[in-house]
Each structure stands twice: as structure tokens, then as C-alpha cells.
Amino acid sequence: IGSAAPSDVEPLVGTPFRIDLAEDTAADLVLAAVERGPSDADARPFHLLFRGGPNPPLPQGIQTLTNEDVGRLDLFLVPATPDADGPLYVAVFG
């Protein structure tokens, strides 16, 4: 995902990403959306919106996520304002 364009990631919307929290503890985040930058082109910047995870939410920082299709990823996640469906996190690709 590190060098991906939005169209490369959009097929993963709705798929789970496992996040390791601590010893023998994990949670699932779901890729909820790929939001394109101001030009709406298939270029940067864009960001990924993840839903789910632990409650209370994780602090911002680098988190290791694992996905069946893309393998292991280290992403800098920033908590966003939760909505009625729970915690949200954003990863920005500039």
C-alpha cells in the first residue's frame, strides 16, 4: 500500500485488518473508505478510513496491521471523531 494509488486500495474496502494490541491481544479494523484528495484523481494525497478496534480508541502512532490480501503493514493511524458505529482511524498518504 505504501506506493499505491487510490484505485489500488479501493478493492480492499470492507475487508478486515487485524491489529496487534499487546501480548496475545488483537482487534479487527475494517477498511471503511478510500477518500481521494481535492483533485479526485487517482493520485496522492488520499487517505484510508478504518472503522472498529478497541474501546477506548488507540492513541495516534504507528500500528502493525495484517490483511489476508496485502500481508503486514505498518501504518501511522490517527484516531478520528467516532460516530454511532464506533471508533474511526485515518491513515494519510501524501
Side-chain angles (χ1 to χ4, degrees):
I1 290 182
S3 61
S7 62
D8 297 327
V9 186
E10 287 168 336
L12 298 173
V13 170
T15 62
F17 286 74
R18 172 75 44 160
I19 185 168
D20 296 323
L21 302 172
E23 264 184 54
D24 300 324
T25 306
D28 285 327
L29 301 177
V30 173
L31 180 57
V34 176
E35 298 182 348
R36 294 171 184 248
S39 70
D40 200 35
D42 195 31
R44 293 176 183 240
F46 69 96
H47 63 271
L48 307 180
L49 184 64
F50 291 93
R51 177 177 304 287
N55 197 3
L58 298 166
Q60 78 176 20
I62 297 173
Q63 303 292 338
T64 300
L65 290 85
T66 307
N67 174 272
E68 194 173 281
D69 295 319
V70 296
R72 180 184 163 149
L73 301 168
D74 291 324
L75 295 178
F76 189 85
L77 296 181
V78 177
T81 302
D83 62 14
D85 294 324
L88 294 170
Y89 298 91
V90 177
V92 177
F93 292 82

